[in-house]
Amino acid sequence: MYFFLNYLALSDLFYTSTVTPKLMTDLLMEKKAISYKNCMTQLFTAHFFGGGIEVLILTRMAYDHYVAICKPLHYAIIMNRQRRHSILIASCAEGLLHSLCLFLLEIVLSFCGPNEIDHCFCDVYPLLKLACTDTHKIGFFVIANSGLMGLVLFVVLMASYILILYNVHTYSAESCHKTLSTCSSHITVIILFFALVIFVYIRPATTLPEDKVFMLFYTIIVPMLNPLIYTLRNMEMKIFIRRVWCNKTFWEGRLMT
């Protein structure tokens, strides 16, 4: 699990870096502008790291949990080093294909003035509103490429965890507790991320005022919460935080006396 968590954290870091610095700069500047080249780069990188790699790593982590919990004796054979690296490479390749398709669809469009994006960053639907040509077919492709794909993966992930819980319901109470402790953090991250992505991309090519708020959640807040969610589910980290907190309380008491 920690192998995939390392690359999930790295993906989150790059994902937020494509949006947050520019967003913070715009908050401090009176004139908020972005060049066409930088806009297309932001579109590609955001969907590569967030809509591609992160989504697919979360999906592979569910499979990793399934093997570890339901087939523990075969885990070392099934999830060997070669298999883990192959899964990671496949996730990067699929993420590249996903973002490249959206990038090519946008780059061939011609845009009419005024080129004002009613959004916090260069995303697919706000850019389609600026196009001079008919974008209905492209909108349906975006639904299939992003919204429908996210919905299918979400259903598969939830079904996989239902299967895991069904397989362990005959185990001891301690085993069930360990399973819930292992899976609950991942399920929380999946629900937070996929629910927002599905809401934004499953509908036709329209933008709503609420999209800006949801964008902040799935591009900044959710990646920021991921390390916290996984860290607080780790028993060793819980013990370490408790020890630090107890030592802090002890020294504060000594200073007061």
Side-chain angles (χ1 to χ4, degrees):
M1 182 179 69
Y2 291 104
F3 173 83
F4 293 109
L5 279 178
N6 288 334
Y7 289 98
L8 179 66
L10 188 63
S11 173
D12 282 335
L13 178 63
F14 285 115
Y15 181 36
T16 55
S17 298
T18 62
V19 178
T20 308
K22 178 59 180 172
L23 180 61
M24 294 179 66
T25 304
D26 288 342
L27 291 175
L28 299 175
M29 303 289 289
E30 283 189 29
K31 185 178 180 182
K32 302 171 178 58
I34 185 171
S35 65
Y36 175 79
K37 181 179 178 181
N38 290 338
C39 184
M40 292 297 110
T41 302
Q42 190 179 63
L43 171 70
F44 177 81
T45 53
H47 280 273
F48 176 65
F49 291 111
I53 294 180
E54 179 161 356
V55 168
L56 296 168
I57 288 179
L58 288 173
T59 306
R60 267 58 175 199
M61 286 177 67
Y63 175 72
D64 179 73
H65 286 159
Y66 171 77
V67 177
I69 295 171
C70 298
K71 299 181 179 180
L73 299 179
H74 300 88
Y75 181 81
I77 299 174
I78 297 175
M79 297 300 293
N80 54 49
R81 179 179 295 181
Q82 183 179 358
R83 177 68 61 82
R84 291 198 304 267
H85 285 92
S86 299
I87 288 174
L88 182 64
I89 293 172
S91 299
C92 293
E94 292 168 12
L96 178 64
L97 180 63
H98 162 75
S99 57
L100 190 61
C101 290
L102 296 178
F103 175 76
L104 293 177
L105 287 175
E106 294 286 348
I107 204 170
V108 298
L109 295 175
S110 56
F111 297 98
C112 307
N115 293 329
E116 296 180 0
I117 302 174
D118 186 22
H119 208 53
C120 299
F121 76 105
C122 293
D123 202 7
V124 181
Y125 284 160
L127 289 174
L128 289 180
K129 290 179 63 177
L130 304 180
C132 302
T133 57
D134 183 25
T135 59
H136 284 87
K137 292 182 179 179
I138 297 177
F140 285 119
F141 182 83
V142 173
I143 294 174
N145 184 271
S146 298
L148 190 60
M149 184 186 74
L151 180 61
V152 170
L153 290 177
F154 179 73
V155 172
V156 170
L157 288 171
M158 290 295 101
S160 68
Y161 280 108
I162 292 173
L163 181 62
I164 290 173
L165 296 176
Y166 176 78
N167 287 331
V168 302
H169 82 281
T170 57
Y171 293 1
S172 64
E174 183 181 358
S175 298
C176 291
H177 176 73
K178 288 182 178 179
T179 301
L180 290 174
S181 178
T182 301
C183 298
S184 59
S185 56
H186 194 219
I187 294 174
T188 303
V189 171
I190 288 171
I191 293 175
L192 284 174
F193 187 83
F194 276 89
L196 297 173
V197 170
I198 292 170
F199 177 82
V200 172
Y201 293 105
I202 200 65
R203 63 175 187 265
T206 56
T207 57
L208 301 175
E210 295 82 3
D211 290 348
K212 298 176 184 178
V213 178
F214 292 141
M215 185 280 300
L216 292 175
F217 270 93
Y218 71 77
T219 58
I220 299 175
I221 297 176
V222 172
M224 182 181 65
L225 290 176
N226 282 351
L228 183 63
I229 292 171
Y230 285 111
T231 298
L232 293 180
R233 300 307 304 176
N234 184 289
M235 185 58 65
E236 294 178 357
M237 187 59 67
K238 285 182 179 179
I239 295 172
F240 176 77
I241 293 174
R242 194 178 297 118
R243 188 181 302 161
V244 171
W245 179 257
C246 291
N247 288 338
K248 180 182 177 182
T249 306
F250 172 76
W251 286 110
E252 286 179 352
R254 290 289 299 273
L255 289 173
M256 288 178 66
T257 57

